[in-house]
Amino acid sequence: MAQEFFESLIACIRKDAETHPGQSIDPDVLREFMTDRTPPVPARKPAPRPVQAAVPAAPRSIPRPIPAPVSAPSPGRELPQAARIAPAPAALERIGSLDELRPIVLACSRCPLAATRHNVVFGEGDPHAKLMFIGEGPGYDEDMQGRPFVGRAGQLLNKMIAAMQFAREEVYIANVVKCRPPGNRVPSPDEAAACIGYLKRQIKLVQPEVIVLLGATAVNFLLGKRDGITKLRGKWLGYEGIPVMPTFHPAFLLRQESAKREAWADLQQVMKVFGKVYRRQG
Ligand code: URA
């Protein structure tokens, strides 16, 4: 992280604080994000290529919402063949609140990730949040606790949110897949397809004003973009009329600290939408 860049940024913010008292961002909170020294999250292996023969065709229609097992399957439990890789049902559209959606997702066994999870990670935050963050999928800590972004990447995300002048409780945080892919690998296209309906319903119910997509997996599976995050980040995209800002995943930022500079530029664009940032040109 270029110290020079950071210091000039802080100087800018201080000037803004003088010009716009009460509306500028707190340099100390930004420093927390930019200088965070949380140990990096290890790089992950890509998802294994789907084996065609092992993936049954999705049923044409799913008449009922979702079968509701009483408790989550224990790790290692085999799923019935018919339950594997089924898309989220159209009936989700009738779900009118996050509270109604949660038990459905917690009972899901639509893909093989259900067999190895400890907890489903539904998502959390203000159900009417203006700002929504979407990651890839739960890691070890999230799987153990059933909450999104509570591990090392989550600690950095908290700092990003604070630097943006939001409280974590004010935003909504969700993932593309709600169950941990073993070894923290990238979810396969089939796993994402089985789960994405839940995320889309969450977005519809929360109705955020802006979505921040964390990392390429979220952009690829929500928006169908194929490019890498280095190409996608920092440029406004849209999802159903909602402005979407793709940026680096905090786990990547833990490994590649120099990329925080670009991530901060992306987050500032989001802050501007909420009138939270004042940035001098030149
Ligand atoms: N990484 C993610 O993409 N999501 C989480 O919830 C945690 C880590």
Side-chain angles (χ1 to χ4, degrees):
M1 174 56 42
Q3 187 65 21
E4 216 176 279
F5 160 75
F6 181 64
E7 292 306 335
S8 69
L9 198 54
I10 294 292
C12 256
I13 292 162
R14 288 230 158 89
K15 263 194 177 174
D16 282 336
E18 283 161 25
T19 324
H20 307 278
Q23 295 185 78
S24 215
I25 68 167
D26 179 348
D28 292 333
V29 181
L30 176 60
R31 196 185 295 273
E32 282 279 311
F33 163 49
M34 297 301 249
T35 60
D36 175 81
R37 291 285 183 276
T38 308
V41 175
R44 289 108 19 93
K45 290 189 200 129
R49 286 173 157 269
V51 181
Q52 280 305 339
V55 180
R60 272 169 193 266
S61 66
I62 300 161
R64 293 169 64 80
I66 295 178
V70 176
S71 58
S74 54
R77 197 190 86 176
E78 272 295 302
L79 292 169
Q81 190 74 359
R84 296 187 183 188
I85 317 293
L92 281 179
E93 278 162 30
R94 294 202 293 271
I95 304 292
S97 72
L98 291 170
D99 284 344
E100 216 184 313
L101 181 63
R102 184 179 294 101
I104 293 169
V105 178
L106 295 192
C108 181
S109 56
R110 293 187 167 274
C111 88
L113 296 182
T116 50
R117 73 183 178 217
H118 289 92
N119 286 291
V120 176
V121 179
F122 177 70
E124 67 182 25
D126 182 344
H128 307 294
K130 291 180 188 169
L131 179 57
M132 183 163 178
F133 290 84
I134 298 174
E136 176 178 302
Y140 173 83
D141 296 292
E142 292 77 19
D143 179 48
M144 296 313 282
Q145 295 183 39
R147 295 181 56 210
F149 283 98
V150 290
R152 284 177 290 176
Q155 286 164 30
L156 186 59
L157 178 62
N158 290 347
K159 288 174 183 172
M160 292 160 75
I161 294 169
M164 293 174 79
Q165 295 270 291
F166 282 90
R168 181 171 161 125
E169 306 71 48
E170 264 184 296
V171 305
Y172 196 85
I173 304 174
N175 281 305
V176 169
V177 292
K178 313 301 189 202
C179 300
R180 182 190 183 206
N184 292 351
R185 64 166 168 76
V186 177
S188 72
D190 287 326
E191 290 156 359
C195 214
I196 199 80
Y198 299 139
L199 176 65
K200 290 184 171 175
R201 196 68 205 148
Q202 283 173 305
I203 296 171
K204 198 84 174 174
L205 292 168
V206 175
Q207 292 193 310
E209 285 172 30
V210 178
I211 296 173
V212 175
L213 294 181
L214 301 165
T217 304
V219 193
N220 297 346
F221 288 127
L222 186 67
L223 303 181
K225 301 269 178 204
R226 295 251 154 251
D227 293 319
I229 194 65
T230 309
K231 189 153 179 210
L232 292 165
R233 61 144 285 272
K235 297 180 203 107
W236 286 106
L237 297 169
Y239 170 76
E240 304 231 321
I242 303 169
V244 171
M245 176 55 66
T247 193
F248 292 123
H249 192 286
F252 173 76
L253 295 175
L254 289 172
R255 293 194 296 274
Q256 190 77 46
E257 215 193 324
S258 58
K260 283 183 184 174
R261 182 185 175 135
E262 283 121 304
W264 177 235
D266 305 342
L267 299 181
Q268 279 184 291
Q269 291 199 63
V270 174
M271 290 167 69
K272 270 189 195 160
V273 174
F274 297 107
K276 292 213 182 216
V277 73
Y278 295 91
R279 200 159 170 237
R280 286 175 194 287
Q281 303 296 316

